[in-house]
Amino acid sequence: MAAWVVAVSRSGTHSFSKPNQEAIRLLTGLGVEGDAHLGTTVKHRSRVARDPSQPNLRQVHLIHSELHAALRVAGYEVAPGELGENVTTEGIDLLGLPTGAVLTFGGTAKVKVTGLRNPCQQINGFQSGLLNQVLGRAEDGSVVRKAGVMGIVLADGEVRTGDPIEIELPDPPYHPLEPV
């Protein structure tokens, strides 16, 4: 199945939602040029408060457009960028990727998947009750996180709406994504 970029977004401030752009530029080892989360060390405020020297494993946030569709069915209207993602994808089971999978956008920009986004209470500030839609429970009682994945930039490049996405899996054994 083909995979592609539905939208790209960035914000220079720590706002919850990120405005859509024509294109974003990924910078190796840093993240999205002009985005508040750009850098080699953590930029998310809660993580900076704990230890500002931690490596930034959350340089790029990706969400699958299929989540937006599921939220619409549940009565929520969520557009690309509104949950804070930089890249909205279609045709990829982002949540099913193993740790270390590499996504190539438009043939040049590369992002290595580091883990799951751990959604927080801010989501309810965006739309009441939305947190319960992006967090669930598996039959065994474990938490299921549905709010996308995080990654680090391995190779510079521009990412545009409509760009194809190639997936490269790491060597087995595969390790399931954990929150980062």
Side-chain angles (χ1 to χ4, degrees):
M1 181 172 167
W4 64 94
V5 175
V6 172
V8 293
S9 311
R10 74 165 179 264
S11 175
T13 66
H14 284 277
S15 57
F16 181 74
S17 295
K18 296 182 183 213
N20 294 153
Q21 308 291 319
E22 273 189 44
I24 58 173
R25 179 144 188 82
L26 302 184
L27 302 175
T28 303
L30 296 172
V32 178
E33 185 175 56
D35 194 81
H37 297 104
L38 179 78
T40 59
T41 57
V42 292
K43 301 301 175 197
H44 287 76
R45 289 184 232 173
S46 63
R47 293 170 190 272
V48 169
R50 276 184 263 157
D51 179 2
S53 67
Q54 294 175 72
N56 187 3
L57 301 178
R58 301 167 57 108
Q59 294 173 357
V60 181
H61 178 203
L62 303 100
I63 286 184
H64 47 297
S65 65
E66 295 84 354
L67 174 63
H68 295 157
L71 293 173
R72 275 193 292 285
V73 169
Y76 295 87
E77 284 301 318
V78 179
E82 288 187 334
L83 293 179
E85 74 270 23
N86 300 111
V87 180
T88 308
T89 67
E90 188 155 320
I92 299 176
D93 177 10
L94 288 175
L95 304 178
L97 291 172
T99 301
V102 175
L103 305 176
T104 302
F105 302 93
T108 57
K110 293 183 183 286
V111 171
K112 180 178 181 179
V113 177
T114 56
L116 296 167
R117 176 189 186 187
N118 195 17
C120 68
Q121 210 41 286
Q122 283 184 319
I123 289 178
N124 280 338
F126 175 67
Q127 287 185 38
S128 181
L130 191 56
L131 182 60
N132 287 334
Q133 300 297 315
V134 297
L135 279 177
R137 293 270 175 199
E139 286 185 22
D140 67 1
S142 61
V143 175
V144 175
R145 291 165 179 84
K146 306 173 194 173
V149 300
M150 308 305 287
I152 58 171
V153 180
L154 294 181
D156 286 5
E158 191 171 81
V159 183
R160 296 182 159 280
T161 299
D163 277 352
I165 306 170
E166 297 172 32
I167 305 163
E168 180 185 338
L169 297 176
D171 292 334
Y174 300 137
H175 301 285
L177 296 173
E178 297 289 331
V180 291

